[in-house]
Amino acid sequence: IVMTQSPATLSVSPGERATLSCRASQSISSNLAWYQQRPGQAPRLLIYGTSTRATGIPARFSGSGSGTEFTLTISSLQSEDFAVYSCQQYNYWPLTFGGGTKVEIK
Amino acid sequence: EVQVVESGGGLVQPGGSRRLSCAASGLTVSINYINWVRQAPGKGLEWVSVIYNDDTTDYADSVKGRFTIARDNLKNTVYLQMNRLRSDDTAVYFCASGVPLDVWGQGTTVTVSS
């Protein structure tokens, strides 16, 4: 399953909303996760099951979608949210990731 | 605290071998899916291998036949034996438990170069 993320880079001002997209090459039901990776750090699970926030993840992060089209929304960007976000499908093996969206400060 | 800690990275010559370790605490490797995921410099994440809770294993096509995943239940540790290494295996290798991947280690760097 090929996962395609857009855009590759998103420039956003602090406090603004960010919307990230992820598309699967075929239906993956709701088996979609989002990860955040800050520079020099390991990825961190943000969202699983398309829309369920992982433990400790703030409510400003939300996920939606189904089938082949998915969205991660960050409602009001904080300084610590500027990072790379990757989607991953886990409906089929092998697990596959999107190429990532870098959210940078505008 | 639940955590996994990778070790074993380093500089390896092309064609060489390296064994990575993933030591777990706060979780039991024998009843969890334990994965290896890698990230080449400046690139995205690539799933490499998994050992399931029933001891079966799976690999990405890019490493099949060269890499072997195994675990030692007494040491609560998972290993990735990497043979016939190539330059495109150069990456940070992360150990991560579960599906989805909910516990990640800090990674260990493997550089394949002469």
Side-chain angles (χ1 to χ4, degrees), chain A residues 7 12 18 26 38 42 45-46 50 53 55 60 66-67 78 80 82 84 91-92 101:
Chain A
V12 186
Q26 66 185 75
R38 297 177 178 133
L45 178 66
L46 288 180
T50 296
R53 284 188 302 276
T55 303
R60 63 181 181 272
S66 67
Q78 307 298 302
E80 62 267 28
F82 292 95
V84 175
N91 198 57
Y92 300 100
T101 292

Side-chain angles (χ1 to χ4, degrees), chain A residues 32-33 35 37 40-45 47-49 84 86 88 90 93-100, chain B residues 33 35 37 39 43-47 49-50 52 58-60 94 98-102 104-107:
Chain A
L32 189 282
Y35 299 87
Q37 189 174 22
Q41 295 188 15
R44 175 174 72 144
L45 178 66
I47 301 279
Y48 64 93
V84 175
S86 299
Q88 178 219 15
Y90 54 97
W93 293 91
L95 307 181
T96 47
F97 293 88
Chain B
Y33 288 15
N35 300 266
V37 175
Q39 187 169 37
K43 302 296 185 182
L45 299 166
E46 179 189 16
W47 175 81
S49 182
V50 63
Y52 301 103
D58 204 358
Y59 301 91
F94 296 100
V99 176
L101 310 176
D102 58 353
W104 292 70
Q106 83 290 348

Side-chain angles (χ1 to χ4, degrees), chain A residues 62-80:
Chain A
S62 63
S64 62
S66 67
T68 62
E69 300 284 344
F70 301 89
T71 300
L72 174 69
T73 301
I74 312 170
S75 60
S76 177
L77 273 156
Q78 307 298 302
S79 57
E80 62 267 28

Side-chain angles (χ1 to χ4, degrees), chain B residues 16-74:
Chain B
S17 298
R18 199 80 179 182
R19 189 179 80 158
L20 306 182
S21 299
C22 170
S25 56
L27 70 90
T28 302
V29 299
S30 63
I31 61 171
N32 282 278
Y33 288 15
I34 305 295
N35 300 266
W36 287 95
V37 175
R38 68 184 180 184
Q39 187 169 37
K43 302 296 185 182
L45 299 166
E46 179 189 16
W47 175 81
V48 173
S49 182
V50 63
I51 185 162
Y52 301 103
N53 52 4
D54 66 357
D55 240 0
T56 57
T57 61
D58 204 358
Y59 301 91
D61 286 345
S62 58
V63 307
K64 202 169 290 184
R66 300 187 299 124
F67 290 13
T68 303
I69 191 171
R71 69 179 173 221
D72 183 328
N73 294 338
L74 291 179

